[in-house]
Amino acid sequence: MELKVHGKEPLQISLDNYYMDYEKIPLTPEGKKDLESLRALDLDLLNRNLKDLIEGKEVELPYYNFITGKREWTGKKVKVGKNQPIIIEGIHGLNEKLTESIPRDQKFKVYVSALIQMNLDEMNRIPTTDTRLIRRIVRDYNFRGATALRTLQLWPEVRKGEEENIFPYQEEADIMFNSYLIYELPILKLFAEPLLLEIDNTLSEYTEAKRLLRFLDYFLPLPAINEVPRISVLREFIGDSAFEY
């Protein structure tokens, strides 16, 4: 939106849409799908699309269906004009290997994270990791067809992926942006609580679900969802955004 205020019309490209078909995604040493690795993305297609766009060519962008685990072609074709920025969104955005065919001086890297600066009381802070997990639970349910149980099962691999694929590249960023909103946990509580309550007490993830529910008890629900601006980053998780994700 800020770019549009300044007369720019950015093209947004989500790295999620460059996942390989699920059965082609390589495995971790533990035998699980390595969803957090660069190896899960079709880097050849991404770089080819970017080079074509920069050269002024029309490109059909892929769409990844997380429910079927398949890439789809919807006929969405795009073309950028001279000096029209391309925004690439995803966890590997800071890694130079992601877009190695594009010269570094043509890229401006932004590190976006929820950097919380609030405490629950004089002794306990609001954990950044818990806030990101709750964001993910809500987003995965709303947009990826995943239950809270599934998100909790994948979370250890996500954290491992962060340690390997995000944090080592923070210094590559040209600028850092804090995306945390002071009102987001009272809003997210409305979505996350019923999802966490669905987790059966016979499952190993039940303990973590109960811990998150106790954490959310510190916040009063804020049902004024309609008052959340449609340009707010929170809409990425709860839906009805003015932008496409």
Side-chain angles (χ1 to χ4, degrees):
M1 182 60 70
E2 188 68 20
L3 287 171
K4 289 185 176 182
V5 169
H6 289 279
K8 302 291 185 180
E9 288 293 334
L11 169 65
Q12 180 177 330
I13 293 178
S14 173
L15 292 182
D16 285 350
N17 289 324
Y18 285 86
Y19 270 115
M20 293 186 288
D21 287 349
Y22 189 78
E23 67 269 15
K24 297 180 181 178
I25 293 176
L27 302 178
T28 66
E30 295 76 26
K32 299 179 181 179
K33 290 293 185 180
D34 196 0
L35 299 170
E36 305 302 315
S37 168
L38 263 181
R39 299 186 302 152
L41 301 178
D42 190 340
L43 297 183
D44 289 339
L45 177 61
L46 173 65
N47 280 268
R48 188 162 65 249
N49 285 171
L50 290 175
K51 289 184 70 175
D52 286 345
L53 286 168
I54 292 172
E55 292 172 4
K57 299 177 183 178
E58 185 177 69
V59 170
E60 181 177 359
L61 297 180
Y63 171 76
Y64 192 80
N65 188 323
F66 280 92
I67 296 176
T68 64
K70 297 283 187 179
R71 177 186 297 161
E72 298 176 358
W73 297 98
T74 63
K76 178 182 179 181
K77 296 182 179 180
V78 296
K79 188 176 181 180
V80 297
K82 187 177 181 180
N83 297 323
Q84 182 179 0
I86 301 172
I87 299 177
I88 303 172
E89 179 271 326
I91 67 170
H92 299 289
L94 300 179
N95 189 339
E96 193 63 20
K97 291 181 180 179
L98 177 74
T99 54
E100 60 183 0
S101 68
I102 310 301
R104 179 63 177 91
D105 61 4
Q106 293 185 24
K107 293 177 278 194
F108 186 81
K109 300 183 180 183
V110 181
Y111 177 50
V112 181
S113 184
L115 306 173
I116 302 169
Q117 301 174 1
M118 295 175 58
N119 289 353
L120 293 171
D121 52 41
E122 292 183 356
M123 300 296 293
N124 299 289
R125 65 180 181 85
I126 297 176
T128 294
T129 301
D130 283 349
T131 302
R132 290 190 292 109
L133 174 54
I134 290 169
R135 279 181 170 189
R136 193 177 185 102
I137 287 171
V138 174
R139 183 206 64 182
D140 286 0
Y141 178 80
N142 284 333
F143 300 106
R144 298 190 174 181
T147 63
L149 174 62
R150 179 60 175 162
T151 300
L152 290 180
Q153 289 171 337
L154 292 174
W155 187 240
E157 292 299 320
V158 173
R159 294 286 291 122
K160 180 182 177 182
E162 290 175 338
E163 296 290 340
E164 295 177 353
N165 302 308
I166 298 179
F167 301 148
Y169 302 100
Q170 291 179 92
E171 298 304 316
E172 284 283 324
D174 295 296
I175 192 172
M176 301 183 74
F177 179 80
N178 183 4
S179 68
Y180 179 70
L181 301 169
I182 195 170
Y183 61 84
E184 72 173 84
L185 284 169
I187 294 284
L188 290 172
K189 176 177 181 173
L190 298 168
F191 295 84
E193 271 191 337
L195 301 177
L196 291 166
L197 288 169
E198 291 179 355
I199 296 178
D200 191 272
N201 61 9
T202 62
L203 299 170
S204 60
E205 290 78 15
Y206 177 75
T207 301
E208 178 68 354
K210 289 294 290 185
R211 186 187 70 81
L212 290 172
L213 286 167
R214 286 196 298 270
F215 169 64
L216 288 171
D217 279 342
Y218 285 104
F219 304 92
L220 293 174
L222 185 60
I225 298 173
N226 291 337
E227 296 184 19
V228 177
R230 293 189 64 228
I231 61 172
S232 171
V233 68
L234 190 56
R235 289 290 180 184
E236 177 183 349
F237 312 105
I238 66 175
D240 195 27
S241 172
F243 309 107
E244 295 182 17
Y245 289 105

mmCIF file of all heavy atoms in Angstrom, residues 147-188:
data_model
loop_
_atom_site.group_PDB
_atom_site.id
_atom_site.type_symbol
_atom_site.label_atom_id
_atom_site.label_comp_id
_atom_site.label_asym_id
_atom_site.label_seq_id
_atom_site.Cartn_x
_atom_site.Cartn_y
_atom_site.Cartn_z
ATOM 1 N N THR A 147 -5.518 -28.444 10.225
ATOM 2 C CA THR A 147 -6.019 -28.315 11.588
ATOM 3 C C THR A 147 -4.922 -27.767 12.491
ATOM 4 O O THR A 147 -3.735 -27.762 12.135
ATOM 5 C CB THR A 147 -6.474 -29.679 12.121
ATOM 6 O OG1 THR A 147 -5.327 -30.563 12.163
ATOM 7 C CG2 THR A 147 -7.560 -30.282 11.240
ATOM 8 N N ALA A 148 -5.312 -27.344 13.692
ATOM 9 C CA ALA A 148 -4.321 -26.912 14.674
ATOM 10 C C ALA A 148 -3.395 -28.066 15.039
ATOM 11 O O ALA A 148 -2.195 -27.866 15.264
ATOM 12 C CB ALA A 148 -5.022 -26.373 15.926
ATOM 13 N N LEU A 149 -3.947 -29.264 15.083
ATOM 14 C CA LEU A 149 -3.126 -30.447 15.366
ATOM 15 C C LEU A 149 -2.023 -30.591 14.328
ATOM 16 O O LEU A 149 -0.854 -30.817 14.674
ATOM 17 C CB LEU A 149 -4.004 -31.698 15.375
ATOM 18 C CG LEU A 149 -3.261 -33.033 15.511
ATOM 19 C CD1 LEU A 149 -2.517 -33.100 16.831
ATOM 20 C CD2 LEU A 149 -4.235 -34.204 15.374
ATOM 21 N N ARG A 150 -2.373 -30.455 13.066
ATOM 22 C CA ARG A 150 -1.382 -30.587 11.999
ATOM 23 C C ARG A 150 -0.305 -29.515 12.117
ATOM 24 O O ARG A 150 0.890 -29.795 11.949
ATOM 25 C CB ARG A 150 -2.072 -30.499 10.626
ATOM 26 C CG ARG A 150 -1.146 -30.604 9.432
ATOM 27 C CD ARG A 150 -0.396 -31.910 9.413
ATOM 28 N NE ARG A 150 0.413 -32.053 8.209
ATOM 29 C CZ ARG A 150 1.419 -32.914 8.097
ATOM 30 N NH1 ARG A 150 1.737 -33.705 9.123
ATOM 31 N NH2 ARG A 150 2.109 -32.993 6.975
ATOM 32 N N THR A 151 -0.705 -28.287 12.433
ATOM 33 C CA THR A 151 0.268 -27.208 12.576
ATOM 34 C C THR A 151 1.221 -27.476 13.737
ATOM 35 O O THR A 151 2.434 -27.254 13.624
ATOM 36 C CB THR A 151 -0.447 -25.864 12.775
ATOM 37 O OG1 THR A 151 -1.277 -25.608 11.640
ATOM 38 C CG2 THR A 151 0.555 -24.725 12.912
ATOM 39 N N LEU A 152 0.691 -27.964 14.844
ATOM 40 C CA LEU A 152 1.544 -28.282 15.997
ATOM 41 C C LEU A 152 2.492 -29.436 15.670
ATOM 42 O O LEU A 152 3.648 -29.445 16.124
ATOM 43 C CB LEU A 152 0.692 -28.640 17.206
ATOM 44 C CG LEU A 152 -0.096 -27.496 17.853
ATOM 45 C CD1 LEU A 152 -0.897 -27.998 19.047
ATOM 46 C CD2 LEU A 152 0.831 -26.361 18.283
ATOM 47 N N GLN A 153 2.034 -30.388 14.889
ATOM 48 C CA GLN A 153 2.898 -31.501 14.500
ATOM 49 C C GLN A 153 4.066 -31.029 13.639
ATOM 50 O O GLN A 153 5.178 -31.558 13.737
ATOM 51 C CB GLN A 153 2.081 -32.548 13.742
ATOM 52 C CG GLN A 153 1.097 -33.319 14.616
ATOM 53 C CD GLN A 153 0.150 -34.188 13.810
ATOM 54 O OE1 GLN A 153 -0.082 -33.941 12.618
ATOM 55 N NE2 GLN A 153 -0.411 -35.207 14.439
ATOM 56 N N LEU A 154 3.811 -30.035 12.805
ATOM 57 C CA LEU A 154 4.846 -29.523 11.901
ATOM 58 C C LEU A 154 5.739 -28.466 12.548
ATOM 59 O O LEU A 154 6.805 -28.154 12.014
ATOM 60 C CB LEU A 154 4.193 -28.927 10.644
ATOM 61 C CG LEU A 154 3.494 -29.905 9.705
ATOM 62 C CD1 LEU A 154 2.789 -29.135 8.591
ATOM 63 C CD2 LEU A 154 4.484 -30.895 9.107
ATOM 64 N N TRP A 155 5.300 -27.899 13.659
ATOM 65 C CA TRP A 155 5.998 -26.758 14.252
ATOM 66 C C TRP A 155 7.472 -27.027 14.569
ATOM 67 O O TRP A 155 8.326 -26.157 14.312
ATOM 68 C CB TRP A 155 5.261 -26.275 15.499
ATOM 69 C CG TRP A 155 5.800 -25.006 16.090
ATOM 70 C CD1 TRP A 155 6.298 -24.843 17.339
ATOM 71 C CD2 TRP A 155 5.878 -23.715 15.470
ATOM 72 N NE1 TRP A 155 6.686 -23.543 17.550
ATOM 73 C CE2 TRP A 155 6.440 -22.826 16.410
ATOM 74 C CE3 TRP A 155 5.521 -23.233 14.213
ATOM 75 C CZ2 TRP A 155 6.652 -21.476 16.128
ATOM 76 C CZ3 TRP A 155 5.751 -21.885 13.929
ATOM 77 C CH2 TRP A 155 6.305 -21.028 14.881
ATOM 78 N N PRO A 156 7.844 -28.188 15.116
ATOM 79 C CA PRO A 156 9.279 -28.424 15.358
ATOM 80 C C PRO A 156 10.116 -28.313 14.090
ATOM 81 O O PRO A 156 11.234 -27.780 14.123
ATOM 82 C CB PRO A 156 9.302 -29.853 15.927
ATOM 83 C CG PRO A 156 7.957 -30.032 16.551
ATOM 84 C CD PRO A 156 7.013 -29.284 15.652
ATOM 85 N N GLU A 157 9.577 -28.783 12.950
ATOM 86 C CA GLU A 157 10.309 -28.665 11.694
ATOM 87 C C GLU A 157 10.369 -27.214 11.223
ATOM 88 O O GLU A 157 11.369 -26.778 10.637
ATOM 89 C CB GLU A 157 9.651 -29.534 10.618
ATOM 90 C CG GLU A 157 9.759 -31.023 10.862
ATOM 91 C CD GLU A 157 11.205 -31.500 10.915
ATOM 92 O OE1 GLU A 157 12.021 -31.020 10.099
ATOM 93 O OE2 GLU A 157 11.520 -32.329 11.795
ATOM 94 N N VAL A 158 9.289 -26.463 11.500
ATOM 95 C CA VAL A 158 9.287 -25.036 11.152
ATOM 96 C C VAL A 158 10.365 -24.307 11.937
ATOM 97 O O VAL A 158 11.130 -23.502 11.377
ATOM 98 C CB VAL A 158 7.904 -24.415 11.426
ATOM 99 C CG1 VAL A 158 7.950 -22.895 11.240
ATOM 100 C CG2 VAL A 158 6.850 -25.023 10.503
ATOM 101 N N ARG A 159 10.452 -24.588 13.244
ATOM 102 C CA ARG A 159 11.461 -23.927 14.083
ATOM 103 C C ARG A 159 12.867 -24.296 13.620
ATOM 104 O O ARG A 159 13.762 -23.448 13.581
ATOM 105 C CB ARG A 159 11.254 -24.335 15.546
ATOM 106 C CG ARG A 159 9.967 -23.841 16.152
ATOM 107 C CD ARG A 159 10.025 -22.348 16.447
ATOM 108 N NE ARG A 159 10.950 -22.070 17.520
ATOM 109 C CZ ARG A 159 11.998 -21.266 17.443
ATOM 110 N NH1 ARG A 159 12.276 -20.643 16.302
ATOM 111 N NH2 ARG A 159 12.774 -21.054 18.475
ATOM 112 N N LYS A 160 13.044 -25.562 13.283
ATOM 113 C CA LYS A 160 14.345 -25.991 12.774
ATOM 114 C C LYS A 160 14.660 -25.271 11.472
ATOM 115 O O LYS A 160 15.797 -24.831 11.246
ATOM 116 C CB LYS A 160 14.335 -27.507 12.560
ATOM 117 C CG LYS A 160 15.640 -28.062 12.025
ATOM 118 C CD LYS A 160 15.544 -29.565 11.792
ATOM 119 C CE LYS A 160 16.819 -30.112 11.176
ATOM 120 N NZ LYS A 160 16.723 -31.565 10.892
ATOM 121 N N GLY A 161 13.638 -25.130 10.630
ATOM 122 C CA GLY A 161 13.824 -24.428 9.361
ATOM 123 C C GLY A 161 14.190 -22.969 9.556
ATOM 124 O O GLY A 161 14.985 -22.398 8.793
ATOM 125 N N GLU A 162 13.606 -22.341 10.572
ATOM 126 C CA GLU A 162 13.950 -20.947 10.868
ATOM 127 C C GLU A 162 15.419 -20.815 11.243
ATOM 128 O O GLU A 162 16.109 -19.886 10.805
ATOM 129 C CB GLU A 162 13.061 -20.423 11.997
ATOM 130 C CG GLU A 162 11.619 -20.230 11.614
ATOM 131 C CD GLU A 162 10.760 -19.819 12.794
ATOM 132 O OE1 GLU A 162 11.165 -20.074 13.955
ATOM 133 O OE2 GLU A 162 9.691 -19.246 12.570
ATOM 134 N N GLU A 163 15.873 -21.755 12.078
ATOM 135 C CA GLU A 163 17.263 -21.716 12.519
ATOM 136 C C GLU A 163 18.229 -21.907 11.353
ATOM 137 O O GLU A 163 19.321 -21.350 11.340
ATOM 138 C CB GLU A 163 17.508 -22.799 13.574
ATOM 139 C CG GLU A 163 16.721 -22.617 14.868
ATOM 140 C CD GLU A 163 17.217 -21.441 15.686
ATOM 141 O OE1 GLU A 163 18.371 -20.999 15.468
ATOM 142 O OE2 GLU A 163 16.475 -20.966 16.564
ATOM 143 N N GLU A 164 17.799 -22.684 10.357
ATOM 144 C CA GLU A 164 18.684 -22.992 9.236
ATOM 145 C C GLU A 164 18.527 -22.037 8.058
ATOM 146 O O GLU A 164 19.499 -21.771 7.350
ATOM 147 C CB GLU A 164 18.411 -24.427 8.760
ATOM 148 C CG GLU A 164 18.759 -25.493 9.796
ATOM 149 C CD GLU A 164 18.403 -26.890 9.318
ATOM 150 O OE1 GLU A 164 17.771 -27.008 8.233
ATOM 151 O OE2 GLU A 164 18.743 -27.859 10.014
ATOM 152 N N ASN A 165 17.294 -21.534 7.857
ATOM 153 C CA ASN A 165 16.993 -20.836 6.603
ATOM 154 C C ASN A 165 16.645 -19.360 6.732
ATOM 155 O O ASN A 165 16.561 -18.672 5.716
ATOM 156 C CB ASN A 165 15.835 -21.551 5.888
ATOM 157 C CG ASN A 165 16.142 -23.006 5.608
ATOM 158 O OD1 ASN A 165 17.165 -23.326 5.029
ATOM 159 N ND2 ASN A 165 15.252 -23.898 6.031
ATOM 160 N N ILE A 166 16.407 -18.888 7.958
ATOM 161 C CA ILE A 166 16.042 -17.484 8.128
ATOM 162 C C ILE A 166 17.077 -16.740 8.967
ATOM 163 O O ILE A 166 17.705 -15.779 8.498
ATOM 164 C CB ILE A 166 14.647 -17.345 8.777
ATOM 165 C CG1 ILE A 166 13.581 -17.970 7.886
ATOM 166 C CG2 ILE A 166 14.322 -15.874 9.025
ATOM 167 C CD1 ILE A 166 12.177 -17.888 8.466
ATOM 168 N N PHE A 167 17.250 -17.174 10.202
ATOM 169 C CA PHE A 167 18.108 -16.431 11.129
ATOM 170 C C PHE A 167 19.544 -16.253 10.635
ATOM 171 O O PHE A 167 20.126 -15.179 10.847
ATOM 172 C CB PHE A 167 18.084 -17.097 12.509
ATOM 173 C CG PHE A 167 16.707 -17.177 13.119
ATOM 174 C CD1 PHE A 167 16.355 -18.227 13.952
ATOM 175 C CD2 PHE A 167 15.756 -16.204 12.851
ATOM 176 C CE1 PHE A 167 15.083 -18.303 14.511
ATOM 177 C CE2 PHE A 167 14.482 -16.272 13.396
ATOM 178 C CZ PHE A 167 14.148 -17.327 14.228
ATOM 179 N N PRO A 168 20.151 -17.231 9.961
ATOM 180 C CA PRO A 168 21.525 -17.010 9.481
ATOM 181 C C PRO A 168 21.633 -15.912 8.425
ATOM 182 O O PRO A 168 22.744 -15.433 8.154
ATOM 183 C CB PRO A 168 21.911 -18.370 8.888
ATOM 184 C CG PRO A 168 21.010 -19.365 9.529
ATOM 185 C CD PRO A 168 19.714 -18.630 9.723
ATOM 186 N N TYR A 169 20.512 -15.519 7.835
ATOM 187 C CA TYR A 169 20.547 -14.555 6.728
ATOM 188 C C TYR A 169 19.988 -13.181 7.121
ATOM 189 O O TYR A 169 19.809 -12.321 6.261
ATOM 190 C CB TYR A 169 19.766 -15.106 5.535
ATOM 191 C CG TYR A 169 20.288 -16.438 5.055
ATOM 192 C CD1 TYR A 169 19.660 -17.624 5.415
ATOM 193 C CD2 TYR A 169 21.438 -16.510 4.262
ATOM 194 C CE1 TYR A 169 20.151 -18.855 4.992
ATOM 195 C CE2 TYR A 169 21.931 -17.740 3.838
ATOM 196 C CZ TYR A 169 21.283 -18.903 4.208
ATOM 197 O OH TYR A 169 21.779 -20.120 3.792
ATOM 198 N N GLN A 170 19.723 -12.976 8.404
ATOM 199 C CA GLN A 170 19.143 -11.699 8.833
ATOM 200 C C GLN A 170 20.009 -10.510 8.457
ATOM 201 O O GLN A 170 19.495 -9.445 8.106
ATOM 202 C CB GLN A 170 18.924 -11.709 10.354
ATOM 203 C CG GLN A 170 17.829 -12.652 10.808
ATOM 204 C CD GLN A 170 17.657 -12.639 12.311
ATOM 205 O OE1 GLN A 170 16.864 -11.886 12.859
ATOM 206 N NE2 GLN A 170 18.408 -13.489 12.986
ATOM 207 N N GLU A 171 21.312 -10.704 8.531
ATOM 208 C CA GLU A 171 22.219 -9.591 8.234
ATOM 209 C C GLU A 171 22.244 -9.246 6.748
ATOM 210 O O GLU A 171 22.810 -8.229 6.351
ATOM 211 C CB GLU A 171 23.636 -9.928 8.723
ATOM 212 C CG GLU A 171 23.733 -10.138 10.226
ATOM 213 C CD GLU A 171 23.209 -8.943 11.017
ATOM 214 O OE1 GLU A 171 23.531 -7.802 10.641
ATOM 215 O OE2 GLU A 171 22.476 -9.165 11.997
ATOM 216 N N GLU A 172 21.636 -10.094 5.916
ATOM 217 C CA GLU A 172 21.526 -9.807 4.488
ATOM 218 C C GLU A 172 20.481 -8.724 4.206
ATOM 219 O O GLU A 172 20.449 -8.146 3.125
ATOM 220 C CB GLU A 172 21.148 -11.075 3.726
ATOM 221 C CG GLU A 172 22.277 -12.071 3.542
ATOM 222 C CD GLU A 172 23.237 -11.650 2.446
ATOM 223 O OE1 GLU A 172 22.783 -11.081 1.440
ATOM 224 O OE2 GLU A 172 24.444 -11.888 2.612
ATOM 225 N N ALA A 173 19.609 -8.485 5.199
ATOM 226 C CA ALA A 173 18.502 -7.555 4.990
ATOM 227 C C ALA A 173 18.998 -6.118 4.850
ATOM 228 O O ALA A 173 19.925 -5.691 5.546
ATOM 229 C CB ALA A 173 17.517 -7.645 6.146
ATOM 230 N N ASP A 174 18.383 -5.385 3.943
ATOM 231 C CA ASP A 174 18.671 -3.960 3.803
ATOM 232 C C ASP A 174 17.899 -3.151 4.835
ATOM 233 O O ASP A 174 18.296 -2.031 5.173
ATOM 234 C CB ASP A 174 18.289 -3.488 2.396
ATOM 235 C CG ASP A 174 19.149 -4.153 1.328
ATOM 236 O OD1 ASP A 174 20.367 -3.914 1.327
ATOM 237 O OD2 ASP A 174 18.597 -4.908 0.511
ATOM 238 N N ILE A 175 16.781 -3.710 5.317
ATOM 239 C CA ILE A 175 15.962 -3.036 6.323
ATOM 240 C C ILE A 175 15.173 -4.089 7.087
ATOM 241 O O ILE A 175 14.890 -5.171 6.555
ATOM 242 C CB ILE A 175 15.000 -2.008 5.656
ATOM 243 C CG1 ILE A 175 14.371 -1.101 6.711
ATOM 244 C CG2 ILE A 175 13.941 -2.705 4.829
ATOM 245 C CD1 ILE A 175 13.578 0.051 6.106
ATOM 246 N N MET A 176 14.834 -3.795 8.347
ATOM 247 C CA MET A 176 14.031 -4.701 9.167
ATOM 248 C C MET A 176 12.712 -4.023 9.522
ATOM 249 O O MET A 176 12.679 -2.813 9.777
ATOM 250 C CB MET A 176 14.785 -5.114 10.427
ATOM 251 C CG MET A 176 16.095 -5.818 10.162
ATOM 252 S SD MET A 176 16.943 -6.381 11.664
ATOM 253 C CE MET A 176 15.928 -7.786 12.109
ATOM 254 N N PHE A 177 11.628 -4.802 9.542
ATOM 255 C CA PHE A 177 10.296 -4.262 9.799
ATOM 256 C C PHE A 177 9.607 -5.105 10.863
ATOM 257 O O PHE A 177 9.525 -6.328 10.748
ATOM 258 C CB PHE A 177 9.469 -4.263 8.511
ATOM 259 C CG PHE A 177 8.064 -3.738 8.672
ATOM 260 C CD1 PHE A 177 7.816 -2.378 8.703
ATOM 261 C CD2 PHE A 177 7.001 -4.617 8.818
ATOM 262 C CE1 PHE A 177 6.532 -1.900 8.864
ATOM 263 C CE2 PHE A 177 5.702 -4.147 8.976
ATOM 264 C CZ PHE A 177 5.475 -2.785 8.996
ATOM 265 N N ASN A 178 9.123 -4.444 11.919
ATOM 266 C CA ASN A 178 8.412 -5.133 12.993
ATOM 267 C C ASN A 178 6.928 -5.180 12.652
ATOM 268 O O ASN A 178 6.259 -4.153 12.581
ATOM 269 C CB ASN A 178 8.623 -4.391 14.318
ATOM 270 C CG ASN A 178 7.967 -5.101 15.483
ATOM 271 O OD1 ASN A 178 7.410 -6.193 15.332
ATOM 272 N ND2 ASN A 178 8.035 -4.491 16.649
ATOM 273 N N SER A 179 6.399 -6.387 12.455
ATOM 274 C CA SER A 179 5.006 -6.541 12.026
ATOM 275 C C SER A 179 4.038 -6.780 13.177
ATOM 276 O O SER A 179 2.835 -6.964 12.957
ATOM 277 C CB SER A 179 4.896 -7.703 11.031
ATOM 278 O OG SER A 179 5.155 -8.935 11.671
ATOM 279 N N TYR A 180 4.534 -6.800 14.411
ATOM 280 C CA TYR A 180 3.643 -7.089 15.536
ATOM 281 C C TYR A 180 2.665 -5.938 15.764
ATOM 282 O O TYR A 180 3.030 -4.760 15.701
ATOM 283 C CB TYR A 180 4.445 -7.325 16.818
ATOM 284 C CG TYR A 180 3.570 -7.593 18.020
ATOM 285 C CD1 TYR A 180 2.860 -8.785 18.125
ATOM 286 C CD2 TYR A 180 3.432 -6.645 19.024
ATOM 287 C CE1 TYR A 180 2.033 -9.028 19.211
ATOM 288 C CE2 TYR A 180 2.617 -6.891 20.123
ATOM 289 C CZ TYR A 180 1.918 -8.079 20.206
ATOM 290 O OH TYR A 180 1.100 -8.316 21.282
ATOM 291 N N LEU A 181 1.410 -6.290 16.050
ATOM 292 C CA LEU A 181 0.357 -5.315 16.336
ATOM 293 C C LEU A 181 -0.124 -5.497 17.767
ATOM 294 O O LEU A 181 -0.377 -6.626 18.204
ATOM 295 C CB LEU A 181 -0.813 -5.495 15.368
ATOM 296 C CG LEU A 181 -0.464 -5.347 13.885
ATOM 297 C CD1 LEU A 181 -1.632 -5.813 13.021
ATOM 298 C CD2 LEU A 181 -0.111 -3.905 13.570
ATOM 299 N N ILE A 182 -0.286 -4.412 18.485
ATOM 300 C CA ILE A 182 -0.610 -4.490 19.898
ATOM 301 C C ILE A 182 -1.964 -5.152 20.159
ATOM 302 O O ILE A 182 -2.199 -5.737 21.212
ATOM 303 C CB ILE A 182 -0.560 -3.075 20.543
ATOM 304 C CG1 ILE A 182 -0.533 -3.195 22.063
ATOM 305 C CG2 ILE A 182 -1.717 -2.220 20.049
ATOM 306 C CD1 ILE A 182 -0.238 -1.896 22.769
ATOM 307 N N TYR A 183 -2.842 -5.136 19.153
ATOM 308 C CA TYR A 183 -4.176 -5.702 19.337
ATOM 309 C C TYR A 183 -4.333 -7.089 18.723
ATOM 310 O O TYR A 183 -5.429 -7.660 18.743
ATOM 311 C CB TYR A 183 -5.229 -4.762 18.731
ATOM 312 C CG TYR A 183 -5.086 -4.528 17.237
ATOM 313 C CD1 TYR A 183 -5.618 -5.419 16.304
ATOM 314 C CD2 TYR A 183 -4.401 -3.416 16.755
ATOM 315 C CE1 TYR A 183 -5.491 -5.208 14.941
ATOM 316 C CE2 TYR A 183 -4.259 -3.201 15.386
ATOM 317 C CZ TYR A 183 -4.806 -4.091 14.489
ATOM 318 O OH TYR A 183 -4.661 -3.886 13.142
ATOM 319 N N GLU A 184 -3.277 -7.682 18.192
ATOM 320 C CA GLU A 184 -3.464 -8.896 17.404
ATOM 321 C C GLU A 184 -3.819 -10.133 18.224
ATOM 322 O O GLU A 184 -4.637 -10.956 17.795
ATOM 323 C CB GLU A 184 -2.268 -9.174 16.512
ATOM 324 C CG GLU A 184 -1.004 -9.649 17.184
ATOM 325 C CD GLU A 184 0.046 -10.036 16.133
ATOM 326 O OE1 GLU A 184 0.757 -9.147 15.640
ATOM 327 O OE2 GLU A 184 0.137 -11.233 15.813
ATOM 328 N N LEU A 185 -3.243 -10.307 19.413
ATOM 329 C CA LEU A 185 -3.551 -11.513 20.182
ATOM 330 C C LEU A 185 -5.012 -11.555 20.648
ATOM 331 O O LEU A 185 -5.633 -12.627 20.604
ATOM 332 C CB LEU A 185 -2.585 -11.657 21.359
ATOM 333 C CG LEU A 185 -1.185 -12.149 20.943
ATOM 334 C CD1 LEU A 185 -0.194 -12.015 22.080
ATOM 335 C CD2 LEU A 185 -1.243 -13.586 20.448
ATOM 336 N N PRO A 186 -5.624 -10.443 21.078
ATOM 337 C CA PRO A 186 -7.061 -10.485 21.383
ATOM 338 C C PRO A 186 -7.919 -10.841 20.173
ATOM 339 O O PRO A 186 -8.993 -11.430 20.339
ATOM 340 C CB PRO A 186 -7.346 -9.056 21.870
ATOM 341 C CG PRO A 186 -6.054 -8.576 22.430
ATOM 342 C CD PRO A 186 -5.014 -9.171 21.520
ATOM 343 N N ILE A 187 -7.464 -10.492 18.964
ATOM 344 C CA ILE A 187 -8.190 -10.868 17.746
ATOM 345 C C ILE A 187 -7.929 -12.334 17.405
ATOM 346 O O ILE A 187 -8.859 -13.119 17.147
ATOM 347 C CB ILE A 187 -7.787 -9.977 16.564
ATOM 348 C CG1 ILE A 187 -8.230 -8.521 16.789
ATOM 349 C CG2 ILE A 187 -8.350 -10.527 15.256
ATOM 350 C CD1 ILE A 187 -9.699 -8.271 16.583
ATOM 351 N N LEU A 188 -6.660 -12.731 17.402
ATOM 352 C CA LEU A 188 -6.306 -14.099 17.049
ATOM 353 C C LEU A 188 -6.909 -15.112 18.020
ATOM 354 O O LEU A 188 -7.189 -16.255 17.646
ATOM 355 C CB LEU A 188 -4.786 -14.250 17.013
ATOM 356 C CG LEU A 188 -4.063 -13.537 15.865
ATOM 357 C CD1 LEU A 188 -2.553 -13.611 16.055
ATOM 358 C CD2 LEU A 188 -4.458 -14.132 14.513
#
